[in-house]
Amino acid sequence: QVQLVETGGGLVQAGDSLRLSCAASGRTFSIEAMGWYRQAPGKQRELVAICTSGGITNYADSVKGRFTISMSRDNAKNTVYLESNSLKPEDTAVYYCNADAFDDRSHRYWGQGTQVTVSS
């Protein structure tokens, strides 16, 4: 099992920056990738950014050039960060941390979500 705890959401104004963090604990050695998804009211959950354990990153077109994902490993704890710059009202959503792990089979884990609200 992997447990994910997100921090860093909040209310900001358009153009501001925000940093989200997600700490993973448990069987972190099995993690192959971590990422961030978001879900706005009335919309489906969508990928924001993902980072593999090898450092490969991928971003949604809507956040390219504004958001940066990074991941660190420290003993038994993995942490993934999302640096969000030039925030727009359309970035308002609940942001969920995600971890994809593999041991004898694939596992997908989710955090509880953190609200990001961008006012115009």
Side-chain angles (χ1 to χ4, degrees):
Q1 289 285 334
V2 172
Q3 296 78 42
L4 303 175
V5 178
E6 301 130 332
T7 56
L11 172 64
V12 297
Q13 293 188 333
D16 283 353
S17 299
L18 201 62
R19 188 195 203 201
L20 304 182
S21 300
C22 174
S25 58
R27 296 173 62 86
T28 58
F29 60 87
S30 64
I31 292 175
E32 297 187 330
M34 294 185 73
W36 291 93
Y37 287 70
R38 67 186 180 187
Q39 188 167 17
K43 294 188 177 181
Q44 289 188 332
R45 190 173 296 189
E46 62 176 3
L47 172 69
V48 176
I50 190 168
C51 182
T52 71
S53 59
I56 298 172
T57 58
N58 193 30
Y59 297 90
D61 287 343
S62 59
V63 306
K64 281 181 181 177
R66 299 189 297 122
F67 289 15
T68 302
I69 189 171
S70 60
M71 186 163 66
S72 67
R73 290 182 180 238
D74 180 12
N75 293 328
K77 181 177 281 189
N78 287 23
T79 304
V80 65
Y81 304 95
L82 187 68
E83 298 278 357
S84 311
N85 299 313
S86 302
L87 284 162
K88 304 175 181 180
E90 50 263 44
D91 294 318
T92 295
V94 177
Y95 283 69
Y96 295 92
C97 176
N98 153 267
D100 288 327
F102 183 84
D103 40 43
D104 58 334
R105 60 185 179 91
S106 296
H107 304 271
R108 170 158 284 190
Y109 300 97
W110 294 97
Q112 79 282 2
T114 185
Q115 177 71 46
V116 173
T117 303
V118 184
S119 63
S120 57

